[in-house]
């Protein structure tokens, strides 16, 4: 054997050995092989999938959705509503683009309707009883048969009682407590009929305030100053612009609470105990009726009495006077005004439509996305603009699921809520029925109600932890025109400087209780957001988009005056869908508890600067609140660092889950069901309604205002009580974020 | 090349290839190698470790613990208590046998004490004011200096107000509402002093009932019939037996609620708002004092008036009469009885001692184990028998941790609660302070208060899901004598036939609110249990062990009469420790929701047989409750099957975690903070206090009894309301157990 043979043999052997090594290493699976779930469990979000999703969002498809959704009036439980329940179910069970599961869930809820055969109205009656004026029964028909459609619900104030009170007319501005107080100093209001404009106070609150001063009947109208930037002439309003025509009437639920009014804290099922109607609180105690500004002008511009104050004046084109009664020598001299309300209430079956995409890795964690389905009339904007967006998102994601191309890490639940307009009823009953599992499993709720108020900019409201994921999503989406990221456009319209980020960031608004996020936020303590496109505030001061809750909120109105081309709808669908995907697919939930700290800190500072001296006098120390806020900051900073330092190879799926649970549950720690015992459902210590003007924790702020005004020891005790509740909630939240294995 | 060379070459090549294969497969770790946590995450309980633990539990060590714990009276916040805080901290921070972490946590709580310089007493005063009898200030000294120790708290009724009412004495049996009702038909009770025996009604309830009938002062005593199986002679009682000596007085908290009385729903920290003392509810409205049966005999056996009914008679050795006042011609004729109470209340710092062993795999899941530390006097049995057991468990587990031989899957938290005797205060304040994280993370709470009432058998109380793990643990532990498993011995004493298991099983008792499990169960909704060794009920009918809450509850009493050799203590330590290890180390939590179904079913059946006809008349259907119970059964059966069919290789750690969360959270679903608005902390729909005799859901049972008695429509409405609450809770529980990704 020569040396080359040896070399050749060695080389040949080496080749064979190498082949063996390669096959052995890569070709034969080990006995103790890595289970296939190891990779699956640590899979993070797929940015390419996000890009694909954004690309596929189709403005034309949204427009087509809206056409179907707004074709027919679909007030809760009417035929139009029932038809949409079926259509959405059909969309969500489609074999090519449907979800994994969809169903309708019925609640038997207490609703209030006008009598079809006996339209509500306002009459002017002369002393001998002659009827010299009757308000319009319906809105003027201005486009095809939109307003004259017999299914259009006649204007009414839902939950206002029947009755026909008459009396001398007075003008009471916005119907705020302070308005009636100042008016009552000049006029004995007992037995009068008051006319007030929308705005400044809640619908029902106006009626409750009026009743408090002895007013017998209430008329509510929309002033062109508030809704139309002063434009009142038909030539300036729809169909010529987005402004409200003179005959337009804002309908609405006149309630102070939300959820089914007969079944607080329980789902309104067939077995559920219902309180007596007479025990319902928070609805108008007197007949109340809304009218348009055409009719309001007839009444207000004939009023006698002193001139109304300057800031009570509106744009009806006359000097507003206070009354009582009409001008001497005018056509209505000595006449009474009569409010004729024929509403009736009944328990009716209202459906939610629920749809679901099962999560792969964490099926027991829910990301929820919802909007109501019911409108007052055609509801093209409110709420169908949101539903059109939701259906476009479900079409794309459903198709991916059916094609086997994608499935989320967490379970996604979609809700098309019923009877929102009557007081967030469908979503609230759902929250009540599934209280435990929603509380234990829901990481976030995304609400897109009206998706486009106007086409200028994104407007986002939410609890602080969702801020980051909205920013991230908005940076990846382009605005319609001019091409700019939604984020960059947003920051031009609404911004603030952030202590945490030490720079200018878009302003995330706070959530009240104006849409279906309310039960999820206030009752369940789930991190929530509400997304929409909205106005350029330099161009309009309209209280809301002018056709809101009127028969002019139609497809034609939307397509011509709100979002021609539906590109703002598209931007919202892309942004909201992106947020949804990031929440459902990210390995670590994109929620940032540190962002709560800015709120807590600013609330603390407001308390300190507004209250500290007086609290010191009362021996109520603020220091423990400061300590709690500092503890929260330390805990959220720590968790942030822990997340930043996570290393895939050393991080078990259970460690990620632990962190995700902390991120999910920190919001829950702010819930205290004993905090506000007279406000049903309001249990969130940070976001409950604040009536005081001090921008601090609502319970503390309200108690403080009351104590300052009464000076009573028991009221100062309540200040201390609410301060305790706040500290306790912040401590609980900090505790949720701190190292879990600690005592 | 001949054929052999080819064969040889091929063979050589094959060998080299094989070597390559082997090295490649076994010798070179893959890039995507199995992370080391894969096995760790699926590790189940180690039965050998359980055996080792059981073997190491040492009766002598428990005895030594008890010696230290009971050496000195240690009423909450006294020097004796503070000394034990230090000692337990020292044990738990020991470098060889301590826990990972231990600390004391202080709450400033409202406590009531007798005046040391002015002992409470009962006097008999003749009409001219001569004092002819004074009750004992202290118990008789019967062993060394146990009873004469100056640190022994003189007998008193904690929270009873100061005062010195006097009046004619009446005997009111047990002080139940019905007792006073029947007595008041014969005697005008206004201004009287009532004497009642312990038992039948809560301590404070007796005083509240008495006040309701105009009684001015209350005396409470222990009847030998109830505590001593009738034995009343000193020769028959301690030190000659376990029976209570004539001078023994049961102390106790006279409260109806639990937790710090000034800070409901908030931890009693320095910053916490406190209500006014005058707003405290549920404490005696009149001066109240407990006495021993020696003194009681002097008073009761001199009473005038009608004979008391047969079932009011006790074992004082005379005919019990009702009063008012004393026998004519006797030594006390026409005398008044005066109740002299000099209690005072103050806010004092009480400590919990908390200890922790960090979990490896699921540090964010807690198994809690606790007992109170404070006693009324030496408290050898109550609570030190339980603390002696807890310290033996922590010694063994702490040593294993320090030696690196073991660490639990889940985090274990030990609590030595303060001020339990005053109304479960330490545990309740802890539950309030950490409400969110305890609710979100605690899988079970094990309470071992008095560990040995007597040495006959295990007695376990708990919510149904913990039944199985107690059975399993009890089967692995031997009883002291005769040698039998604790389980087999238990089933001889307490048993029932189970529908689910279709056989005889030990009877798991239900939990009231008698020890520190109460806040965890009723406020937080955590699955709880309470374990102890107890009586042979064929041998005694004593209401509780006779030395309970007296100065005779000493080490001597325990070692001689309760558990000579401390082998029952040992059996409890082994059983409770085994339960603790199974809960903390099992891959799948050993909790069985299916066992709740038997309770729900029996409650439903009781409702059906007792209420259905009347409810039908009222148009309140029971059918939806039946449906809810059936839904719960289906869901818990399904989950049971899912668990039985789990296959390691296909089961991801997150799937196990999902199931464990369902097992942990099902108990939480029975919590409804709005269910019982006038009972602080009672939020558990299944276990809230039931005053009605119908063995069904407490809210339903109580509302039904009230409605039947008043016949008022509003009360029948409350029946329907509580039925709704029950259905809602069961539906929530079922929902927690059903497939998670469902709508």
């Amino acid at each position: 054997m020569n040396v080359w043979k040896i070399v050749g043999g060695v080389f040949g052997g080496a080749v064979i050995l190498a082949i063996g090594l390669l096959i052995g290493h890569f070709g034969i699976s080990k006995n103790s092989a890595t289970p296939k779930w190891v990779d699956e469990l640590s899979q993070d979000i797929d940015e390419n999938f996000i890009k694909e999703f954004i690309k596929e969002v189709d403005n034309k498809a949204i427009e087509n959705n809206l056409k179907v959704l707004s074709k027919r009036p679909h007030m809760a439980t009417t035929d139009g509503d029932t038809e949409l329940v079926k259509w959405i179910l059909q969309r969500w069970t489609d074999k090519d683009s449907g979800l994994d599961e969809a169903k309708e869930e019925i609640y038997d809820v207490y609703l209030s309707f006008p009598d079809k055969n006996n339209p509500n109205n306002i009459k002017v009656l002369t002393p001998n009883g002659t009827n010299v004026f009757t308000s319009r029964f319906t809105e003027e028909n201005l486009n095809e048969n939109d307003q004259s459609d017999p299914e259009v619900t006649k204007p009414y104030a839902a939950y206002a009682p029947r009755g026909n009170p008459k009396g001398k007319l007075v003008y009471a501005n916005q119907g705020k407590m302070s308005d009636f107080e100042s008016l009552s100093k000049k006029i004995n209001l007992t037995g009068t009929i008051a006319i007030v404009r929308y705005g400044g106070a809640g619908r029902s609150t106006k009626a409750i305030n009026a009743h408090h001063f002895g007013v017998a009947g209430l008329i509510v109208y929309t002033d062109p100053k508030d809704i139309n930037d002063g434009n009142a002439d038909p030539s300036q309003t729809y169909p010529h612009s987005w402004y409200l025509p003179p005959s337009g009437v804002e309908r609405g639920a006149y309630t102070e609470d939300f959820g089914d009014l007969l079944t607080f804290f329980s789902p309104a099922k067939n077995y559920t105990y219902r309180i007596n109607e007479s025990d319902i609180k928070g609805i108008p105690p007197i007949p109340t009726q809304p009218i348009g500004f055409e009719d309001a002008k007839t009444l207000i511009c004939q009023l006698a009495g002193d001139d109304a104050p300057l800031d009570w004046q509106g744009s009806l084109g006359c000097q507003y006077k206070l009354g009582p009664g009409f001008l001497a020598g005018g056509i209505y001299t000595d006449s009474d005004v009569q409010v004729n309300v024929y509403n009736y209430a009944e328990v009716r079956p209202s459906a939610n439509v629920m749809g679901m995409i099962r999560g792969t890795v964490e099926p027991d964690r829910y990301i929820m996305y919802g909007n109501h389905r019911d409108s007052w009339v055609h509801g093209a904007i409110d709420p169908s603009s949101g539903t059109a967006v939701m259906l476009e998102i479900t079409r794309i994601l459903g198709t991916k699921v059916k094609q086997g191309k994608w499935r989320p890490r967490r379970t996604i639940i979609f809700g098309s809520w019923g009877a929102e307009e009557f007081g967030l009823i469908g979503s609230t009953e759902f929250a009540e029925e599934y209280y435990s599992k929603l509380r234990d499993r829901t990481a976030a709720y995304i609400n897109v109600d009206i998706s486009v108020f106007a086409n200028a900019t994104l407007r986002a409201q939410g609890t602080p932890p969702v801020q980051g994921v909205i920013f991230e999503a908005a940076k990846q989406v382009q605005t319609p025109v001019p091409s700019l990221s939604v984020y960059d456009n947003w920051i031009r319209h609404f911004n603030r400087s952030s202590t945490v980020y030490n720079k200018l960031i878009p302003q995330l608004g706070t959530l009240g209780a104006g849409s279906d996020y309310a039960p999820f936020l206030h009752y369940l303590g789930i991190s929530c957001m509400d997304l929409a496109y909205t106005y350029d505030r330099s161009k309009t001061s309209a209280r809301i988009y002018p056709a809101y809750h009127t028969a002019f909120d139609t497809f034609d109105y939307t397509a011509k005056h709100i979002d021609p081309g539906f590109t703002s709808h598209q931007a919202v669908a892309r942004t909201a869908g992106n947020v949804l995907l990031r929440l459902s697919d990210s390995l670590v939930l994109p929620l940032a508890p540190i962002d709560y700290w800015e709120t807590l800190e600013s609330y603390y500072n407001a308390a300190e600067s507004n209250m500290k001296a007086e609290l010191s006098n009362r021996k109520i120390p603020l220091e423990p609140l400061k300590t709690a806020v500092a503890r929260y900051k330390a805990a959220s900073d720590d968790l942030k660092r822990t997340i930043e330092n996570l290393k895939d190879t050393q991080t078990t799926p259970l460690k990620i889950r632990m962190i995700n649970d902390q991120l999910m549950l920190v919001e829950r720690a702010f819930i205290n069901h004993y905090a506000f015992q007279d406000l049903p459902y309001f249990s969130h210590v940070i976001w409950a309604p604040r009536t005081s003007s001090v921008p601090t924790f609502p319970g503390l702020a309200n108690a403080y205002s009351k104590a300052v005004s009464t000076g009573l020891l028991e009221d100062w005790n309540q200040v201390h009580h609410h301060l305790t509740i706040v500290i306790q909630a912040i401590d609980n939240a900090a505790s949720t974020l701190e190292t879990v294995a600690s005592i």
Side-chain angles (χ1 to χ4, degrees), chain A residues 18-31 33:
Chain A
I19 291 169
L21 285 169
L22 288 170
I23 297 174
H25 184 61
F26 293 108
I28 304 173
S29 69
K30 294 198 183 193
N31 250 353

Side-chain angles (χ1 to χ4, degrees), chain A residues 83-94 98-99 101-105 352-355 391:
Chain A
E83 188 178 289
L84 290 187
V85 167
K86 285 188 192 134
W87 186 62
I88 293 171
L89 266 177
Q90 184 192 314
R91 291 283 305 261
W92 286 356
T93 54
D94 186 272
L99 309 175
E101 205 185 312
K103 68 171 179 184
E104 88 186 284
E105 288 197 301
N352 292 335
V353 184
M354 305 305 303
L391 291 175

Side-chain angles (χ1 to χ4, degrees), chain A residues 5 24 31 83 116 120 156 165 268 286 291 330 352 359 361 373-374 509 537 558 564 569 592 602 623 647 701 709:
Chain A
K5 275 208 176 159
N31 250 353
E83 188 178 289
K116 273 180 193 165
N120 295 344
Y156 76 116
I286 52 174
I291 60 173
N352 292 335
V361 176
R373 184 188 58 255
D374 68 304
R537 276 297 178 200
T558 308
H569 282 77
S602 87
E623 197 61 32
K647 293 201 179 64
S709 89

